[in-house]
């Protein structure tokens, strides 16, 4: 497709196969998990002619990644000068500078894989040093790598080793629609060092649940209220995460968090549950601290739920994020601001 001025998208010339996953690699176009001539080849990677996307020899120019498990290819990505082929339970690799020198390694790493290539994202990631016993030392080094979703959780891959990063997640997989987990999509925001992954929750057929992973601090932030079946990150004077769903709209997430057409959207973040012990014990609640990167005309709504969320056991408060002296819906006393029963809001210059 050459853009709106050119017209509708056109089929590639040269009768290429139909591939689920496509990348450009060393002046070739590679298509993985393909159908050709009415037959499915889930373990094949086809390559175009050198320097062209419209010359294809589908009889000879392909590799077959016949892994020990025989599971289909679920993604393909470039990794520095090599290529990585993901399966559901295996990671394969290939390398070389030309078609004559390419070498493939179908079972480079077994036992872990990627649920779908659309969960893959790349960036400078924090990997932990591993000691001689195979245990993490707590020391971190930064290296280019991939983040992806497996059926078990989220992982990082540095080209040789895989490390799980979802051990600190508040919730497990039980709340997700596991039958549609392969519909996951993800993207990486290099400015905020944030990996975004969108998945279906409950019985949803769309990705209505989002995980944001801060690769610097290692924190996970679950969100609700999305409709994100596709997503990407673009650069327009700053990095912006875009996502779109079955409502025919494209949304952007930036410090203002507005929809592309100007309509405000609302997302939700749920903290973990705090076990405060016996009901007879005097409780000391934790503080809720909101670090706001920029002032906003929006407000932050806080919902505090006791035991189970039912009427009469919920307290709410509104934090004004604007940088003005008059605070709507709050009362001011000294340096403290109060908003609703049980809430004490304090401004702090960090």
């Amino acid at each position: 497709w050459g853009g709106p001025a050119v017209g509708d998208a056109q089929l590639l010339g040269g009768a290429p196969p139909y591939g689920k996953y496509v990348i450009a690699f060393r002046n070739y176009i590679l298509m993985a998990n393909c159908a050709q001539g009415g037959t499915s080849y889930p373990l094949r990677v086809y390559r175009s002619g050198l320097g062209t996307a419209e010359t294809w020899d589908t009889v000879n120019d392909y590799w077959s990644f016949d892994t020990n498990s025989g599971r289909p290819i679920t993604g393909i990505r470039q990794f520095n000068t090599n290529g990585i082929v993901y399966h559901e339970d295996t990671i394969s690799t290939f390398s070389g500078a030309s078609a004559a020198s390419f070498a493939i390694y179908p079972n480079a790493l077994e036992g872990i894989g990627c649920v779908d290539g659309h969960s893959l994202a790349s960036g400078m990631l924090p990997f932990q040093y591993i000691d001689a016993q195979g245990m993490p030392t707590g020391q971190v080094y930064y290296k280019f790598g991939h983040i992806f979703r497996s059926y078990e959780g989220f992982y990082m891959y540095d080209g040789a080793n895989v490390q799980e990063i979802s051990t600190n997640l508040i919730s497990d997989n039980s709340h997700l629609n596991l039958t549609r987990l392969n519909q996951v999509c993800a993207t990486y925001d290099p400015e905020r060092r944030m990996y975004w992954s969108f998945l279906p929750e409950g019985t949803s057929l769309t990705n209505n649940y989002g995980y944001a992973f801060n690769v610097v601090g290692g924190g996970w932030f679950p969100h609700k209220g999305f409709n994100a079946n596709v997503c990407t990150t673009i650069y327009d004077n700053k990095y912006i995460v875009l996502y779109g769903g079955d409502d025919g709209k494209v949304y952007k997430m930036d410090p203002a968090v507005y929809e592309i057409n100007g309509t405000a959207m609302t997302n939700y973040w749920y903290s973990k549950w705090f076990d405060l012990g016996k009901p007879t014990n005097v409780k000391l609640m934790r503080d809720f601290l909101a670090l706001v990167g920029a002032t906003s005309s929006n407000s932050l709504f806080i919902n505090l739920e006791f035991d189970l969320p039912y009427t009469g056991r919920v307290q709410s408060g509104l934090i004004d994020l604007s940088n003005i002296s008059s605070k709507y819906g709050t009362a001011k006393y000294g340096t403290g601001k109060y908003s609703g029963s049980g809430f004490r809001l304090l401004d702090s210059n960090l």
Side-chain angles (χ1 to χ4, degrees):
W1 185 55
V6 177
D8 295 338
Q10 302 295 318
L11 291 175
L12 283 177
Y18 292 88
K20 289 186 176 181
Y21 311 102
V22 183
I23 65 168
F25 182 81
R26 290 189 174 275
N27 290 320
Y28 295 92
I29 299 298
L30 304 183
M31 293 190 181
N33 193 333
C34 298
Q36 171 61 27
T39 303
S40 176
Y41 297 102
L43 293 173
R44 285 187 181 182
V45 174
Y46 287 86
R47 67 178 182 273
S48 71
L50 179 63
T52 174
E54 297 192 289
T55 300
W56 296 84
D57 180 355
T58 54
V59 176
N60 301 299
D61 291 348
Y62 68 85
W63 306 302
S64 184
F65 286 83
D66 297 318
T67 60
N68 292 330
S69 69
R71 305 301 290 269
I73 293 173
T74 55
I76 184 171
R77 278 286 179 107
Q78 183 168 343
F79 193 100
N80 297 328
T81 59
N82 298 328
I84 308 296
V85 174
Y86 289 89
H87 310 256
E88 290 181 351
D89 58 356
T90 308
I91 298 177
S92 304
T93 64
F94 60 92
S95 61
S98 65
S101 64
F102 280 132
I104 67 171
Y105 308 94
N107 298 287
L109 191 64
E110 297 183 273
I112 192 65
C114 176
V115 67
D116 186 82
H118 295 101
S119 74
L120 281 161
S122 307
M124 294 300 296
L125 306 176
F127 293 90
Q128 291 198 43
Y129 286 103
I130 305 299
D131 62 21
Q133 287 72 43
M135 300 299 294
T137 64
Q139 295 178 303
V140 173
Y141 65 95
Y142 281 86
K143 183 179 179 181
F144 177 83
H146 293 168
I147 303 182
F148 61 91
R149 171 77 200 200
S150 75
Y151 279 106
E152 291 77 22
F154 291 94
Y155 292 82
M156 296 190 305
Y157 180 54
D158 68 356
N161 303 292
V162 167
Q163 294 183 9
E164 185 178 3
I165 57 175
S166 52
T167 53
N168 292 330
L169 270 177
I170 296 168
S171 54
D172 56 17
N173 292 331
S174 60
H175 67 109
L176 300 175
N177 186 348
L178 299 180
T179 63
R180 292 184 61 84
L181 199 59
N182 61 356
Q183 303 299 311
V184 59
C185 66
T187 188
Y188 180 67
D189 179 351
E191 182 176 338
R192 298 169 184 84
R193 307 293 297 276
M194 196 76 74
Y195 167 76
W196 282 92
S197 178
F198 303 99
L199 309 101
E201 185 184 36
T203 59
S204 176
L205 301 181
T206 61
N207 293 331
N208 58 343
Y209 196 88
Y211 283 117
F213 174 64
N214 186 309
V215 302
V216 177
W220 284 94
F221 306 95
H223 297 255
K224 291 188 177 185
F226 290 103
N227 185 357
N229 291 340
V230 292
C231 61
T232 189
T233 301
I234 65 170
Y235 184 78
D236 183 14
N237 296 320
K238 60 182 176 181
Y239 286 98
I240 301 174
V241 173
L242 303 178
Y243 70 86
D246 58 5
D247 58 359
K249 298 178 181 179
V250 175
Y251 301 86
K252 69 177 180 179
M253 290 191 297
D254 62 13
V257 196
Y258 279 108
E259 184 184 339
I260 278 288
N261 63 10
T263 302
M265 64 182 185
T266 303
N267 293 319
Y268 306 89
W269 172 72
Y270 288 78
S271 76
K272 69 177 182 180
W273 285 95
F274 294 98
D275 184 358
L276 302 179
K278 297 179 180 179
T280 54
N281 292 347
V282 177
K283 306 301 188 298
L284 178 63
M285 291 295 296
R286 296 169 180 256
D287 292 330
F288 176 85
L289 302 178
L291 177 60
V292 181
T295 58
S296 170
S297 59
N298 298 321
S299 295
L300 180 62
F301 181 78
I302 306 298
N303 214 36
L304 178 62
E305 299 176 350
F306 298 88
D307 299 328
L308 296 175
Y310 60 89
T311 303
R313 303 295 290 170
V314 177
Q315 292 188 6
S316 301
L318 203 63
I319 299 179
D320 185 358
L321 302 181
S322 62
N323 190 24
I324 56 177
S325 58
S326 176
K327 300 291 183 180
Y328 176 77
T330 64
K332 185 173 180 180
Y333 180 77
T335 59
K337 299 183 180 67
Y338 300 83
S339 176
S341 174
F343 283 86
R344 183 169 186 256
L345 307 180
L346 299 175
D347 285 341
S348 179
N349 294 323
L350 300 178

